[in-house]
Amino acid sequence: MNRALVSWALIIAVCAGFASPLEAQNRYKKKPAPKKEETPVPMRSIRIAPVDDSQRLQVKRSARRIDELVEANYRKHKVQPNEMTTDEQFVRRAYLDITGTIPDYKRARIFVRSRLDSKREDLIDDLLEDPGYASNMYNYFADLLRVSDRLSNNVPGQPFAQWVRVCMEQNKPYDQMVYEMLSAEGRIWDNPAAGYILRDSGMPLDAVNNTVRVFLGTQIGCAQCHNHPFDRWTQREFYEMAAFTYGTQTRISARDKQFGGKNIINVLREELKTVDEGYDGGGKYNRILIGNLMQVNDQKRNLVLPHDYAYDDAKPKQKVDMKTIFDPQPVVKPGDTPRVVMARWMTSRENPRFTKTIVNRLWKRAFGVGLIEPVDDMRDDTVASNPELMDFLISEMHRLNFDMKEFMRIVYNTKTYQRQSSPEEFDPSETYHFPGPVLRRMTPEQVWDSFITLALDDPNKYQREPAELQASLLKVDLASVDAMEVYERDKALRQVTGKYRYAREKKFKHQGLLLVRASELPQPLPPSHFLRQFGQSDRETIEGNSDGGSVPQILQMFNGPLTHLLLDKKSMLVVNVTNQKDLEDAVDTIFLSILARYPTEQERAIANAEYEANRAAGLGNIVWALVNTREFLFVQ
């Protein structure tokens, strides 16, 4: 491949149409050269799946049935339900829970002033069709699935991350989404869902524990080494379950028959030394060389019990037969790999914990507490706090064919969800009967995105470059590629992920911070970043996000760059406040922007006094004071 192929024009062409480098070269011949100072901003075409307007009456019926079941529990356990939320409380909660950010002041004002009887259900439907819905759901699943920009040293994670994001945008049925992850084959740029299997490459037993924990809400990890001390699982049962996926491989051999029996990596490394004078044969090109060996595939491979197996129901090193941990046992169809059999069993409606787990997780997203807690440690004797409600929610998820958006639409329309939050701290040792959602702190992503909403005119303007861009450069056929093409692709890749990305991001930065929604930032971020300091996961553990406080958080809120950003003359908050005709409107705008409500008489008097004492700086002090309140950081 000619060196001229790797040029700024090539990268623009690849950005524009996700083409292969050769296709991009041919396409570019027909187009004039762009201005050198322009930086291409590749954008995916995003369409958020709409809600089903024809189901409004059914949504109301289902929501009413949920309320009836919850209220029956009130009477049974003598629980006094919370008051209904005010419009100000509801609009802020709905935006945070559905789109992951507070409303801007105009939307908050419009909702609060509206006199439509249907304004709450209208708002719910509008938000479920907002790009923020997909962004917020992605943040949740990224934490659950440990999504990372790099799945291993040589496997990029962005194709998988984008696939998860697209699943949320398209509202892919949950059972289908999980099945595609568990049964995926091939390279990550050919089949991005394979990223789930590649995430635990080389750890087949740990992968089984993670899969059961995430999708079945059950922890069997202890049984990997010995019979579970607190649950019924035996070590043998763990190995019987692991036998389904033990033959799953995540890498093909460099001496695979398609390469003629020779070590293709060594061959290409030697050839690269003649192309790249500074290359010493090391790992410089491994993203392309080793990356294209990383392919999910299935081989016939028997799992045996460990050599120190100590129980009398089997012998050490005895071959293990495949058996699922729950009945009914799966039916094997001709041509199925064991992994496909397991994937079909796991996502089946007959699986006693698959639907229950996702229903419980989604209920917790709305209320802060699951019907079963912890959500990932169900046992045979676990009973939901409201068994009749759990049964109804499971039946609804089945009726909806695992449509998560329509399921949450029902939940958000319940009176139970629209009650005021319970201010008392949730005690896991006591059963919670949902007099309303629990008062909970914003997630790290909600805090960040709320600052972005306050500061920017269009928080959704920026997108990460499409995964297809890097994939088109990384993807090669190792059996036919030559060293020159590898060299040129690597060079283009370094430009795309280096100076061109930097140039593109420059106008979105403030004091070194990329001011975009959390879902568009690198995954994970460095420990010093605002999001990590507020508890965002390092993506090494399942649901690793935390909501605890810390000294760095206080420093960020008191004197960090985001707090200062709100008072910058270009900040939308400042623009909106300065555009008001008088002090009363200016104070209203500050309160509506930050807290989605108007100030009380006492608060207005304090704000007026602050302005009289310090003029414009006084307005800045009001902003600073409000973003440092508990009311701002918590979802009421």
Side-chain angles (χ1 to χ4, degrees), residues 332-343:
V332 180
K333 297 179 180 179
D336 283 347
T337 64
R339 182 159 58 94
V340 166
V341 173
M342 186 273 290

Side-chain angles (χ1 to χ4, degrees), residues 502-516:
Y502 173 80
R504 180 185 161 217
E505 292 177 350
K506 190 174 181 180
K507 65 179 180 179
F508 292 94
K509 286 190 173 181
H510 173 78
Q511 296 187 14
L513 286 176
L514 184 59
L515 301 179
V516 300

